[in-house]
Every structure is written in C-alpha cells, then in structure tokens.
Amino acid sequence: MSDALQKRLELLRDRVSVLVEARSAGDPTAGDPLRGLYVSAERVEHLLERRGQIPVQLDDAYGEAEPDDALAETAARFGLTLLDTHILLTALAPDVNRDFEPLYGYLNDDVGRRRASVALALDLAGLAPNDWTARARFHPRAPLLASGLLVLEDAERPLPGRGLRVPERVIAHLLGDEELDGELLGTVELLTAGQPTGPFASRLGALLRARATMIYLRGRAVESGTAVEALGAAGLPVLRYDPAHGDQHLVPVLLREARLRGAGVVVGPLPEKAGALVRALEPGALPPHAEPLVPGAVPVVLFGTEPFDPRWSAGGDVLCLDAPPGSADTGLLWAAELGRDAAEFDLPAAVAPYRLTPEQIRRAARTARTLAVLEGGPLTAAHVQRGARQQSAPALDRHARRVSPAVGWADLVLPAGPREQLEELVVRARQRERVLGQWGLRTGGGRGHGVVALFAGESGTGKTLAAEVVAGELGVDLYVVELSAVVDKYVGETEKNLERIFADADRTDAVLLFDEADAVFGKRSEVKEASDRYANLESAYLLQRLESFNGIAVLTTNLRANIDDAFTRRLDLVVDFPFPDIDQRLALWWQSLAGVPCADGVDPGPCAKDFALAGGSIRGAVVTAAYAAAGRGGRVTTDDLLTGAVREYRKAGRLVVGQDDL
C-alpha cells in the first residue's frame, strides 16, 4: 500500500471516529454486546430523538493529490468528483484494513453488515440521504457505477441501506498491482507498442493523443500493425481484444481496465453483425468533435474488412478510415526484436515476404530463438522464416494442398532468360510493400499489392517445380489450388469458392499456385447460349479479383494461347519454359540420378541425345530404372535408363524404332 493511500485511510478513520463518538453519545445501548442483533425499546426511543450527527464537511485537503497517489490518479482518469473519491475510499477501507469492519458494523446498527452503506458514506461526508445531489452519485450512469469502480449490493433494500463494494481488480490497482484483470485472461492481450514506422500511424497517434475518440480502420490494419502503432504513437499501452475469443459482457471490464491503466483499446476483426459490440464500446470513447481533454475517455481503434455500417453506432460519431496497405516498415520491428542475433544473415530479405502484426513479429522472433537453441547453433534466416510461418494464418489448408518447399535453385535446369525472370519474381515479392506502398507506385482503382505471374510451357518443363523454388526462396509455403474443389456446375458457386481462396490468400503469407490455370482463366467467348454468359461472368469476376489481390500467385498453363488477353495484361511476369535442348536434358538426367546408386560407367548421354524428353518425363524414366535395379537387388545401369526412356516415349504416344515391346 502506498503512503498516499495510507494517509487517506487515516483521514477517513478520523472521520469515522468522529461519527462513532457522535452516534454513541447518549445511546443507552452503546455498551450492549448484543447491539445490532435486536432493537430494544430504549434503542427505538434514542433513534427517534437522534438527529444527524454530522462530522466536519469535506474539504479540498481531503482530495488533494500527493506523489504516488493511485487514488487521485484514478479519480482524474475516471472524472470523479471529490465526493466520488470519498465514496470510493469509504467503500474500499474494510477491504484493505480490517479495523474498519467493526466500526462500520456499529455505524450500520448491524454487526453483520461490515461494509459501508450508501447512508454511511454520505454520513461520513456530512450529507443526508435525502440530498438529491448526493444520491445522484449512485445513479447507474454516474461515474462510479458506470465505469465499474463501485458495485451497489442488496438490490431489495432502499438506496440508503444498500451496501457498497469495490471490485477486486480496482482494489488491486489502487494497491499497486498491475496484473491484467482475471476476467480478461485468454481474451485480451496487453501490448506495448514501439515507435510508429509509418506516417499514417503517426498521424493517427497525434489524433488519439489530442482526442480519445473511436476510429474504424478498414483493411489489413492490425496485420500491418497500424492500429497498434497508432496507439503507441499516442504514448499509450494497448489492450488488444478479439471479439471471436470473448463474450460481449467483457466490454465494460475491458474499458475499466483501459481506464485504470491509461491504455488504448484495439478491437477486431469486427464480426459481421457488430452493432451491439460497437455500441457497448462507445461510452468509453469520445466523438471526434468533443473537447480534447475529457476525463474517463478511452481511445478505441476498431478494424475489419467490411464497410462500417452507420447503424452500428448509437451516436454516429465513429471516424471511419481506409487503412493504407504497407503503411508500416515491419523491417524495423524485426530488427528491434532480433538485434545482434540477426547480424550473420540478410534479415530484411529473409522477412520481406511476411506481413505480420507487431505482436506476431515478437512471437516469431521468440520462436526463432528457441529453434536455434534447440539445434544448438546460431540464429539463421531459416529459423526466422520458420517462426514467421507459424504465425501466418493456415486458413488456405481448407481449400488448397500445402507443399513445404524442399528444392532450391540448384534443382532447376533452365536457360538464363527464364531463370532471371524467376529471380525477378522473387525480388518483386520481397519488395512489393516498399515499391507499391511506401513509394506510392500502386495504380488507382482499388488495386492491391499482389504479385501474379504466368508460367507457360509444355508439360514436364518445370513450371510447378519453379513455383516451389520461388516459395522456398521466399521462405513461405506453396499452396496448390485443387481445381476440382473450385469449379462447380451450379451458377455462382465457382466464384464463391474462388473468393474464399483469394480472401484466405490475402491473409496468408504463401505462394498460391493455380495449376492448369486455363481451366479457370480461359478466354471469354461470344455469347451463343446461357452457359457462355455465365462462363464470361466467371472470367469477369476473376479479372476484378486479380486487381485487388494482395498475395503472391502463380498460374501455370500448357497452352498460353488459351489464357484470356485481359488476364495477361494484369500479370506482372510471363515466364516461358522452353523444351530442354540436349545439354539441358543431359543435366536433367544427371540431376535426377544424384541420389540413385548407379553402376560403374553408367552414361545417360545416349538417352539425352536420342530421346527428346522434358524434365518431368526424365524423372519418370529414372524412377522406372530405379525400380528395375531395386527389383534385382543391384544398381542402375545404362540399359535401365534406356528402358525407362523408352517407356516415357511410348507413354507420350511416340514411336521408338528398333526397340522390342516393353
């Protein structure tokens, strides 16, 4: 207990003593040990004769603030009057000092009622229960009750006889305990935001510092850290509340906790029907046009992806803003969390593909350090990327097949031109937030920050493998969209399925792969029958959705001519995968044989020269040869490779001259 609170309790005790002396003077039952358990005739006569023995009036010295005075600070934050502060202290006293219990029992004329009552609190302030201005301090909308600092008990009693109780969290705060309210555990996070890393968050912080208003940010506000950073820029700690993980009855507890701490509140993502939640939060904040300094106001930042419905707000005073993507430089947050531990690798390149909130970055950094300790080595980019992937939303698993990349640039056999384009794709994916967001090169029309590429080439030329290499280089997972789960015979269902995929991809740090994309992104045709019209509607939807896409997507096709020109115009890159020449085929044969036990003198050269196979077919031929060798318990020979090549040729329906039927 602080010295300031102890001093206030001593002053209160003096007032109690004065009132006890006044009450006991002339009371024939003052020394009766059973006083308070029954009412004797003498006691009735004394009560009829007694007038209000009132101690000295409250004065400014009683409410004067002192250093380290939690009660005075709380009174200022909640907008309490001097009388409110006195009532709160009176109700608090028996919870922190048991000496008040018997004294309160005596003054209540009931030894079983050892808490303050409304009448007792007013008597100690020199006020009568028939004073309407005094009774107004116990109205449900008055500061003490509306903010949850005080609870009125005994609802069946008249107001003067009702008991006063201070919630345990308020008592703990006044005693110096800053642990989060137990009711909020598991639902609310206490965050300490660093300095803002973007101008938008700085401007919001200045607004919230001047006026504790309610703001709705539409877009990826929390994902980019904007909502949390704005409150950090205002110099406030942050209470983050997710409505999906808590009941609405916790909102008053949340606002009380924010006021006790002098914190701001971040709430989101808002549910589809958020009216009741917003109206419950509104009493904590101020309308944008209110006076700057109003006690008890809490800055509230809401966020979500849906347009704000004005009917959600009781007063219509919520400030609605579109949160600009890429408004925060998360690289600074990563550097602050990892510090010197990340000196041995290129941290900005390692974390550039990830769009995480500040709290997610902190968790990812802790996970990365734990992984490094587990492996007994220094922190690496791989540890950081694994930690970051654990924080990315796994919602795409419901609609696509996840592939954890296990290949790299060395596994690709491509000419210089396509390889350079793939490297450019990686650069675009890493730097898109800087170029399109911070540098302002994003065009208008609601376009997103996505990167979309088309890989075109014959089957087996390495398109899917290249997508996996790009995902591995970025340190993210590859999600292959299963078209069977997307295309639906019913009108409108295909668009709904695609929207779910795109929406989840926008929230997930991953590479989205549409294999055989011409099945979905095909050319529009002249409307000759009803089915043509609906097919064109699907294409029109996809054209619009690619414009606003914020993720990384790769489309692959064997027939580039089948892709609509309107899609091609919206692509960032078109990479052509040529059929491999002899030298590239030989490199592919050797690469496929890298882990296979081979006989001495094995030579895939004749296969590379005589059989024009793509990389996928070459791998299939090596698999056939490996099974043949494993079946006889030996090693792969040149004849085994030749047999595998012939099989692949015939699978493609091509003629092999001079070979027996296999």
Side-chain angles (χ1 to χ4, degrees):
M1 186 188 304
S2 66
D3 293 340
L5 183 58
Q6 182 64 46
K7 183 176 180 180
R8 290 181 181 277
L9 288 173
E10 291 174 358
L11 292 172
L12 177 63
R13 185 186 177 91
D14 292 341
R15 303 180 72 83
V16 170
S17 299
V18 171
L19 188 58
V20 168
E21 291 177 4
R23 291 277 181 88
S24 60
D27 184 357
T29 63
D32 189 348
L34 298 181
R35 184 183 184 276
L37 296 179
Y38 72 101
V39 181
S40 62
E42 294 84 355
R43 177 63 177 161
V44 171
E45 184 178 350
H46 175 72
L47 290 174
L48 292 173
E49 295 176 354
R50 191 182 73 184
R51 298 293 182 265
Q53 296 90 356
I54 299 173
V56 295
Q57 297 286 332
L58 291 174
D59 52 36
D60 292 339
Y62 189 69
E64 197 173 76
E66 295 189 9
D68 192 27
D69 194 339
L71 185 61
E73 185 178 5
T74 299
R77 286 178 178 170
F78 285 80
L80 303 183
T81 65
L82 181 61
L83 178 56
D84 291 331
T85 306
H86 160 76
I87 294 170
L88 181 61
L89 183 67
T90 302
L92 169 75
D95 286 287
V96 296
N97 188 333
R98 293 190 62 186
D99 291 348
F100 284 90
E101 291 188 60
L103 297 174
Y104 281 7
Y106 177 82
L107 294 175
N108 285 325
D109 293 327
D110 188 341
V111 295
R113 302 191 67 202
R114 299 195 167 201
R115 288 190 177 277
S117 62
V118 171
L120 175 55
L122 295 180
D123 283 343
L124 290 171
L127 299 171
N130 60 1
D131 186 334
W132 71 268
T133 59
R135 293 174 69 101
R137 309 320 300 168
F138 300 96
H139 190 277
R141 297 183 62 180
L144 283 173
L145 271 65
S147 59
L149 292 177
L150 190 68
V151 177
L152 273 179
E153 298 183 321
D154 309 314
E156 73 284 356
R157 291 176 178 268
L159 179 64
R162 296 187 66 175
L164 305 178
R165 179 176 60 83
V166 180
E168 181 58 33
R169 173 64 189 113
V170 179
I171 298 171
H173 172 75
L174 294 175
L175 294 177
D177 184 358
E178 289 305 317
E179 287 293 325
L180 197 64
D181 193 306
E183 290 189 69
L184 302 178
L185 293 178
T187 303
V188 174
E189 291 182 279
L190 176 62
L191 308 174
T192 303
Q195 292 299 315
T197 56
F200 182 71
S202 298
R203 293 194 296 270
L204 281 184
L207 171 64
L208 293 171
R209 186 166 51 247
R211 288 178 173 84
T213 189
M214 179 181 285
I215 298 174
Y216 175 69
L217 297 180
R218 182 185 177 190
R220 292 175 56 88
V222 166
E223 282 75 2
S224 66
T226 305
V228 174
E229 283 194 356
L231 292 170
L236 302 173
V238 180
L239 292 173
R240 163 73 190 278
Y241 171 66
D242 186 348
H245 299 153
D247 296 330
Q248 191 174 311
H249 79 275
L250 292 176
V251 171
V253 182
L254 172 66
L255 293 176
R256 183 183 68 193
E257 184 71 21
R259 289 187 176 111
L260 288 173
R261 294 175 176 273
V265 175
V266 171
V267 179
L270 292 186
E272 184 177 352
K273 297 180 180 180
L277 175 62
V278 173
R279 287 189 289 272
L281 287 163
E282 273 189 301
L286 294 175
H289 51 74
E291 291 297 323
L293 301 177
V294 177
V298 176
V300 179
V301 181
L302 312 170
F303 73 91
T305 57
E306 299 298 324
F308 188 85
D309 188 342
R311 293 173 297 180
W312 291 350
S313 169
D317 292 320
V318 179
L319 180 62
C320 301
L321 301 171
D322 286 329
S327 57
D329 187 354
T330 55
L332 296 178
L333 300 175
W334 280 105
E337 289 297 326
L338 295 174
R340 295 181 180 178
D341 293 339
E344 299 300 321
F345 59 91
D346 188 352
L347 178 62
V351 301
Y354 299 100
R355 300 163 295 170
L356 304 180
T357 67
E359 59 266 30
Q360 286 177 320
I361 290 175
R362 281 190 287 271
R363 294 173 189 162
R366 290 197 299 267
T367 300
R369 287 197 177 96
T370 303
L371 290 171
V373 172
L374 181 63
E375 296 180 5
L379 185 71
T380 65
H383 295 138
V384 174
Q385 290 174 340
R386 285 174 61 187
R389 280 202 300 271
Q390 290 185 20
Q391 301 302 320
S392 188
L396 272 172
D397 285 328
R398 296 174 294 180
H399 313 299
R401 174 169 53 88
R402 182 169 63 91
V403 177
S404 296
V407 293
W409 293 113
D411 298 290
L412 276 179
V413 178
L414 286 174
R419 186 183 180 93
E420 289 175 358
Q421 286 184 292
L422 292 177
E423 292 172 350
E424 180 185 345
L425 176 59
V426 171
V427 172
R428 283 175 177 259
R430 282 177 174 161
Q431 303 299 333
R432 58 198 167 114
E433 295 297 341
R434 176 181 297 179
V435 173
L436 300 179
Q438 297 173 17
W439 292 358
L441 289 180
R442 179 174 66 109
T443 55
R447 290 174 173 83
H449 287 190
V451 176
V452 184
L454 174 67
F455 292 175
E458 293 185 31
S459 178
T461 50
K463 302 183 294 297
T464 303
L465 178 65
E468 186 176 347
V469 169
V470 168
E473 182 68 13
L474 293 173
V476 299
D477 289 326
L478 175 70
Y479 281 89
V480 182
V481 177
E482 303 289 354
L483 294 181
S484 61
V486 173
V487 179
D488 197 295
K489 65 179 181 180
Y490 294 105
V491 174
E493 291 302 313
T494 299
E495 291 92 325
K496 291 180 181 178
N497 294 335
L498 285 168
E499 177 57 32
R500 295 187 191 100
I501 292 173
F502 278 116
D504 288 339
D506 276 340
R507 296 191 293 269
T508 304
D509 296 315
V511 173
L512 191 63
L513 174 63
F514 288 91
D515 209 359
E516 306 296 341
D518 43 358
V520 180
F521 297 83
K523 284 189 174 182
R524 290 167 288 183
S525 61
E526 182 182 352
V527 178
K528 296 181 179 179
E529 53 187 45
S531 59
D532 295 333
R533 176 173 176 268
Y534 291 119
N536 289 345
L537 285 175
E538 290 180 9
S539 297
Y541 159 76
L542 284 169
L543 288 170
Q544 295 175 354
R545 193 60 180 84
L546 283 179
E547 294 277 357
S548 61
F549 184 55
N550 284 315
I552 306 168
V554 174
L555 318 179
T556 69
T557 180
N558 299 339
L559 299 171
R560 177 176 172 180
N562 287 352
I563 300 295
D564 196 296
D565 292 338
F567 288 116
T568 305
R569 185 181 66 80
R570 288 164 171 80
L571 299 172
D572 294 285
L573 285 171
V574 177
V575 184
D576 288 309
F577 286 72
F579 197 87
D581 57 23
I582 293 177
D583 292 336
Q584 291 166 356
R585 292 200 296 269
L586 182 58
L588 288 167
W589 277 102
W590 281 119
Q591 186 182 76
S592 298
L593 289 168
V596 178
C598 298
D600 295 337
V602 67
D603 182 13
C607 295
K609 179 181 178 181
D610 298 335
F611 296 91
L613 296 174
S617 298
I618 290 174
R619 183 182 178 279
V622 171
V623 170
T624 299
Y627 273 118
R632 66 172 181 267
R635 293 172 175 268
V636 172
T637 65
T638 302
D639 289 339
D640 293 329
L641 297 180
L642 183 61
T643 300
V646 170
R647 290 279 180 85
E648 292 299 318
Y649 236 50
R650 289 183 172 170
K651 279 167 58 178
R654 302 166 76 176
L655 179 63
V656 182
V657 180
Q659 294 291 333
D660 295 331
D661 192 17
L662 297 175

